[in-house]
Amino acid sequence: MSQVSSHTFTFSDKIDTDYIYGMYENDYPYIESMFKAVLDHFDEDLAAIQNNYEQKNIELLRKSVHKIRPSFGFAGLPVVQEKCREFENKCQVAKSMNELETDFQEFIKCLEEAGTIIIEEYKKLKSFNGAAS
Amino acid sequence: MNLTCVIVEDLPVAAEYVKRCCEKSGMVDVLAHCMTVKDAIAFLSKNQVDLIFLDVEMPEGRGFDVLDNVSYSSKVILTTSKTEYAYSAFEYNVADFLKKPFTYQRFMEALKKVSQIVVPTQKEAGDDNHIFIKSDGKLVRLKNDDILYIESMGDYVKFTAKEKKYIALNTIKNLESKINTQLFMKVHRSFIVNTSKVDYMDGNKLIIKDSQIPVSKAFKAEVARRFHTV
């Protein structure tokens, strides 16, 4: 792993810093690489969720939500991760996609916003690490 | 000597994290990362590892399918975001359960738990004339010369020594790669014998003191070569 930094990066208040430091300590280049790893597959995973919803396949929808769920944890967004878990549970009990419609719109919006936060943090981290090196 | 592992995980960021944790620990060498159940089965059919980091819910199957399809002796740490698999984990004799994402500290706790139940090899002990086994809560030094034979008991093995018998959490398959092969030999899927202790061979059986050890067809030719007559 990279050397830990003596400088402190200021995360967005949306990011759970205790969670982040518990996983990566203050190894900012490492954190940057993990945010990048999350983003590398984020659009694809989000598109799969949207597609499975449009195809009205509840089980595949649940699976695609399950797949993206830990990514939010790795990016310091355990609250969004928890929302994924809740939505997965709703998928498990729903008998038709109609039952999920309202929740889904709110859920997908939450994921998109989370994606924006991760992108912003990644850019900031990249700049921070670039300046430090 | 480090433990070897394979990471079975469909989420790249999670696999990357486990890999980094392994590197940071300095205790585990990652031999492969398999993104599908199929790849994991193929890899584990040809390679032996001490440890499997296993995701449960994967696109085309469950991680447990890997364990169902591979004759494995590795220890397993489940890495999943669902706690519902705890019961299955118990059934599969999983060493620990890491809920994703987990902290490095939690990773190390799991790793320490595993490293305590993996028998150090002779190379680790720095000596070829004995092995260490963990039996009855104690780390026991067994001289090779005292061991008569080793017998499989599922997830455990029984070491029959001159004076005493010892039960240890391990498998024949795991021991096979770690024992002194000049002295010990696998003669059956459930038995390894100390060749210097064999009194005689009678048909498909090796006689060591009062014990009869079966020799399976697959090993008979090799056994005959080893015990060739003058």
Side-chain angles (χ1 to χ4, degrees):
Chain A
M1 277 186 198
S2 318
Q3 292 284 312
V4 291
S5 173
S6 56
H7 302 288
T8 306
F9 177 82
T10 308
F11 284 99
S12 152
D13 57 7
K14 304 238 173 29
I15 301 280
D16 187 329
T17 47
D18 288 343
Y19 211 76
I20 287 281
Y21 290 131
M23 287 186 289
Y24 316 123
E25 299 175 331
N26 59 342
D27 186 343
Y28 296 116
Y30 176 29
I31 300 172
E32 179 192 327
S33 72
M34 291 303 285
F35 272 60
K36 183 175 185 310
V38 168
L39 290 170
D40 281 345
H41 298 269
F42 189 82
D43 289 345
E44 188 187 323
D45 291 345
L46 198 66
I49 292 172
Q50 191 77 52
N51 184 52
N52 290 328
Y53 174 75
E54 283 160 13
Q55 297 298 317
K56 298 188 186 299
N57 189 327
I58 298 178
E59 180 53 14
L60 283 184
L61 174 62
R62 186 195 66 76
K63 281 191 173 181
S64 52
V65 173
H66 180 80
K67 189 185 175 197
I68 205 171
R69 192 215 293 189
S71 298
F72 297 108
F74 285 113
L77 294 166
V79 175
V80 182
Q81 191 179 357
E82 178 59 20
K83 283 190 189 301
C84 290
R85 193 191 63 79
E86 287 167 6
F87 191 77
E88 264 187 77
N89 290 345
K90 284 174 184 168
C91 289
Q92 239 158 0
V93 295
K95 292 186 176 63
S96 76
M97 203 58 97
N98 291 341
E99 289 177 42
L100 295 168
E101 198 175 341
T102 314
D103 287 326
F104 181 79
Q105 298 309 332
E106 195 183 317
F107 175 65
I108 201 79
K109 193 178 162 206
C110 170
L111 301 196
E112 284 165 354
E113 284 170 2
T116 307
I117 294 167
I118 299 167
I119 291 168
E120 288 306 313
E121 289 306 289
Y122 170 65
K123 283 181 187 167
K124 277 165 54 190
L125 278 162
K126 200 173 173 185
S127 167
F128 176 83
N129 291 325
S133 62
Chain B
M1 190 174 170
N2 280 359
L3 299 175
T4 54
C5 84
V6 58
I7 300 168
V8 182
E9 172 65 69
D10 65 316
L11 187 66
V13 65
E16 181 60 26
Y17 183 65
V18 175
K19 197 174 160 194
R20 292 271 198 144
C21 286
C22 290
E23 285 169 7
K24 189 177 178 183
S25 75
M27 292 167 67
V28 190
D29 293 331
V30 180
L31 299 193
H33 165 214
C34 302
M35 290 187 76
T36 66
V37 167
K38 194 177 160 192
D39 287 352
I41 292 171
F43 177 81
L44 287 166
S45 301
K46 292 177 187 162
N47 300 278
Q48 195 169 338
V49 293
D50 297 314
L51 178 59
I52 303 171
F53 289 99
L54 186 67
D55 184 17
V56 179
E57 197 156 320
M58 297 180 73
E60 83 300 6
R62 296 183 326 146
F64 295 121
D65 297 339
V66 176
L67 305 184
D68 286 336
N69 282 281
V70 170
S71 166
Y72 72 103
S73 59
S74 318
K75 294 296 155 209
V76 178
I77 294 178
L78 287 189
T79 57
T80 178
S81 45
K82 272 193 167 181
T83 49
E84 291 91 312
Y85 295 113
Y87 180 72
S88 298
F90 178 74
E91 280 184 317
Y92 282 91
N93 197 25
V94 165
D96 208 345
F97 185 100
L98 293 173
K99 187 170 180 290
K100 284 183 292 194
F102 42 85
T103 62
Y104 176 68
Q105 190 184 1
R106 180 68 189 85
F107 172 86
M108 285 306 292
E109 283 170 18
L111 202 54
K112 279 173 188 164
K113 202 184 280 185
V114 169
S115 61
Q116 279 169 3
I117 53 178
V118 173
V119 174
T121 63
Q122 292 165 349
K123 282 173 190 166
E124 283 171 271
D127 195 336
D128 259 7
N129 64 15
H130 67 267
I131 57 171
F132 279 104
I133 60 166
K134 192 163 187 185
S135 178
D136 209 15
K138 300 180 194 102
L139 196 61
V140 181
R141 182 177 184 268
L142 267 183
K143 285 183 188 169
N144 286 346
D145 193 49
D146 287 342
I147 300 169
L148 303 179
Y149 61 92
I150 309 164
E151 182 180 356
S152 168
M153 298 172 70
D155 289 333
Y156 292 82
V157 288
K158 182 167 71 183
F159 290 79
T160 299
K162 280 178 187 167
E163 308 292 337
K164 203 178 163 186
K165 291 179 178 174
Y166 301 89
I167 307 284
L169 184 62
N170 213 311
T171 62
I172 289 288
K173 192 174 176 184
N174 184 44
L175 285 172
E176 207 182 337
S177 64
K178 296 178 177 173
I179 48 166
N180 181 338
T181 50
Q182 287 185 324
L183 195 60
F184 291 95
M185 180 183 190
K186 187 178 180 184
V187 297
H188 184 277
R189 65 184 163 85
S190 302
F191 287 93
I192 289 173
V193 299
N194 183 337
T195 54
S196 71
K197 304 296 174 189
V198 175
D199 293 319
Y200 60 95
M201 189 171 178
D202 181 10
N204 291 332
K205 287 170 188 162
L206 291 173
I207 313 300
I208 301 177
K209 294 198 181 297
D210 297 329
S211 304
Q212 297 187 351
I213 315 297
V215 178
S216 65
K217 276 185 187 174
F219 296 98
K220 197 171 178 185
E222 184 57 30
V223 171
R225 263 196 297 278
R226 192 83 171 242
F227 296 106
H228 63 278
T229 53
V230 290

